[in-house]
Amino acid sequence: MFGTSWLTVRLTGAHLNPLLAWPDIAGIGVLTGTGFTVCLIFADLSYDNTAHLTQAKSAALLPSASASLVAALILSRRNTLHRRLRQQTAQPR
């Protein structure tokens, strides 16, 4: 998702919304990497052997959980930044 967004901006006249930055897109891009449910569906359709099915589900769980944690970290940091920016713009000077 991040790569496609970056290429779209680079190769076309598209631009990001001023309230959105590349780290925001990166966080969402990492979050889309979870894909755990799709992996489980493919595993269920691909394996009849219980041992192989268990291994396939286990192999899908670790990267999905890792991607979810990384996305949560990125997006929580971006949320903190956006909250600070909103407070700064809301306070009269």
Side-chain angles (χ1 to χ4, degrees):
M1 179 177 189
F2 180 85
T4 302
S5 299
W6 184 82
L7 281 174
T8 300
V9 168
R10 295 288 292 173
L11 300 176
T12 69
H15 61 279
L16 291 180
N17 183 308
L19 300 176
L20 196 62
W22 285 111
D24 300 319
I25 302 295
I28 299 298
V30 171
L31 188 59
T32 62
T34 56
F36 180 61
T37 305
V38 175
C39 290
L40 293 180
I41 292 169
F42 286 144
D44 281 336
L45 295 173
S46 300
Y47 297 108
D48 291 331
N49 184 321
T50 306
H52 291 146
L53 181 59
T54 302
Q55 287 177 347
K57 286 182 177 182
S58 298
L61 179 62
L62 182 60
S64 180
S66 299
S68 296
L69 289 174
V70 170
L73 288 172
I74 292 171
L75 294 174
S76 67
R77 289 186 68 132
R78 295 301 297 170
N79 187 40
T80 302
L81 175 67
H82 285 289
R83 189 176 295 127
R84 280 191 207 138
L85 291 173
R86 191 170 41 249
Q87 287 174 350
Q88 288 174 356
T89 57
Q91 294 175 354
R93 294 190 176 188

